[in-house]
Amino acid sequence: MWKALGCAVQGKGHVAKGICCQDKIAGLEKNGVHAIALADGAGSAPLSHFGAEKAASYICERLCSDFDFMYSDGSGGARAREKLMAGLLSVIRGLAVEKNCVMKDLASTLLAVAVKGDAVLAVHLGDGVIGCLKSDGLRTISRPENGDYSNVTTFTTSKTAAASVKLIKGQVKDKKAFILMSDGSCASLYDKRTGNISSGLGSFMEQSDRCNSLALEAQLIESFRHDVRDRTNDDCSIAILYMDGESFPGYTGLGFQEKLGLLNTGSYGRSYKDADKILSFIAESGATLKSITSWYHKKPARIKRALSRLERMNLVYADEGVYRPVLKVTRKDGGMLRLEDYGE
């Protein structure tokens, strides 16, 4: 099953100036197609956050509706690109009328990936990076387009947009994830000299088979808020489409010895019993310390110690007073997540 996760975090420069996050991400599952998109609003365009949001949602809809046509286009992708950009300009033109502005006020870059069966489509306009995770590591599918200067790129409203947009098609094969990154995120996660994506991102994605999707997204957001955006003043965003494998059966599917090894208790005793009970109880939607105590009928101090140990082992995380599992508790772990923006 393909799943999506991601975040768009307001950059330090925009926080200082009181400017909203201009990066927007979107995800959609429709007609057997799984799609993600990322649009980076132009810093010089005052309403680019509206344009970026419209562009990201539009491309997801088009990829899900026109995937077969775009993938099998016999003109080498020319007709598909022409139809795609004509439709995009039409919706941006309508948005300009709605916002009472000129189209360039809504300018953004645009990246997207869609998967249907074993077929893959990628769309790239402007800067930012599209990559994938294969069995032998991370690979860059499409590099940034900056022309002659690093701070100049092509936007959705540029005159050269239709001629500049890239439509890349391929097959899934051994690809386990697809990654979209804005220019701000590239400052931390992409080496422009070598064209390589940070190996740390690959290590993060390797957890996807074992980790709960909500926990993965929480870890991603935390990393972007406190690490990734420290290297730039720009907004930082990422969207990931990943294949959720079935090699890990979930905590409840493990045998007794496997649970002992995972919980690192060595034998059946208080530590094992507390951890096992707590993980099973918080499986569905998390629980507060009070609700765990009421259900388990143990002293709060004992339960706090057990929770602290589970947190140190990265098996549980606290979210505003609610303890949630990091591990997948069952084999199935939801579907497409809703991709959202996160400011301060």
Side-chain angles (χ1 to χ4, degrees), residues 215-231:
L216 270 180
E217 189 153 62
Q219 291 176 355
L220 186 70
I221 295 165
E222 187 74 7
S223 174
F224 266 64
R225 280 177 168 166
H226 300 292
D227 297 318
V228 174
R229 71 172 176 180
D230 281 348
R231 297 190 183 185

Side-chain angles (χ1 to χ4, degrees), residues 27-280:
L28 184 64
E29 178 185 0
K30 188 177 180 182
N31 301 326
V33 180
H34 294 80
I36 54 170
L38 185 155
D40 181 353
S44 59
L47 300 178
S48 65
H49 52 294
F50 291 117
E53 185 174 36
K54 180 67 75 173
S57 60
Y58 172 82
I59 192 68
C60 283
E61 285 284 355
R62 289 279 60 78
L63 284 168
C64 288
S65 299
D66 298 342
F67 187 96
D68 293 339
F69 162 70
M70 295 173 71
Y71 192 83
S72 60
D73 180 14
S75 65
R79 288 195 300 268
R81 290 194 300 269
E82 181 181 348
K83 180 180 179 181
L84 177 67
M85 294 309 295
L88 178 59
L89 286 176
S90 178
V91 298
I92 293 177
R93 191 176 295 113
L95 183 61
V97 172
E98 178 187 327
K99 299 297 181 183
N100 192 27
C101 65
V102 295
M103 288 181 65
K104 68 178 182 179
D105 289 343
L106 302 166
S108 73
T109 62
L110 184 59
L111 300 88
V113 166
V115 175
K116 182 178 183 181
D118 195 43
V120 182
L121 277 174
V123 178
H124 193 170
L125 177 67
D127 54 25
V129 168
I130 300 178
C132 68
L133 176 66
K134 302 176 68 174
S135 55
D136 60 350
L138 286 164
R139 297 289 183 272
T140 299
I141 295 175
S142 186
R143 297 189 179 198
E145 293 288 341
N146 292 107
D148 296 328
Y149 303 97
S150 61
N151 62 340
V152 176
T153 193
T154 305
F155 296 111
T156 51
T157 58
S158 300
K159 292 180 179 180
T160 59
S164 300
V165 66
K166 291 188 286 185
L167 181 62
I168 305 162
K169 65 180 182 180
Q171 292 185 308
V172 173
K173 292 185 178 178
D174 64 341
K175 301 176 182 70
K176 299 188 288 185
F178 296 93
I179 303 157
L180 312 177
M181 292 189 290
S182 68
D183 191 46
S185 298
C186 288
S188 294
L189 301 173
Y190 177 73
D191 189 333
K192 292 184 178 181
R193 296 170 300 172
T194 63
N196 293 330
I197 299 171
S198 169
S199 59
L201 192 54
S203 299
F204 171 80
M205 287 312 305
E206 291 292 351
Q207 302 177 57
S208 62
D209 182 58
R210 187 170 169 174
C211 288
N212 179 286
S213 55
L214 291 175
L216 270 180
E217 189 153 62
Q219 291 176 355
L220 186 70
I221 295 165
E222 187 74 7
S223 174
F224 266 64
R225 280 177 168 166
H226 300 292
D227 297 318
V228 174
R229 71 172 176 180
D230 281 348
R231 297 190 183 185
T232 179
N233 284 319
D234 201 2
D235 295 333
C236 297
S237 58
I238 189 169
I240 299 172
L241 185 66
Y242 68 99
M243 173 58 76
D244 188 22
E246 296 189 350
S247 59
F248 182 69
Y251 180 76
T252 58
L254 297 177
F256 174 65
Q257 291 298 329
E258 292 173 307
K259 286 183 178 181
L260 280 179
L262 179 66
L263 299 174
N264 196 29
T265 57
S267 62
Y268 183 83
R270 174 182 286 191
S271 294
Y272 171 86
K273 185 178 179 180
D274 289 350
D276 184 54
K277 290 284 188 180
I278 290 171
L279 280 173
S280 299

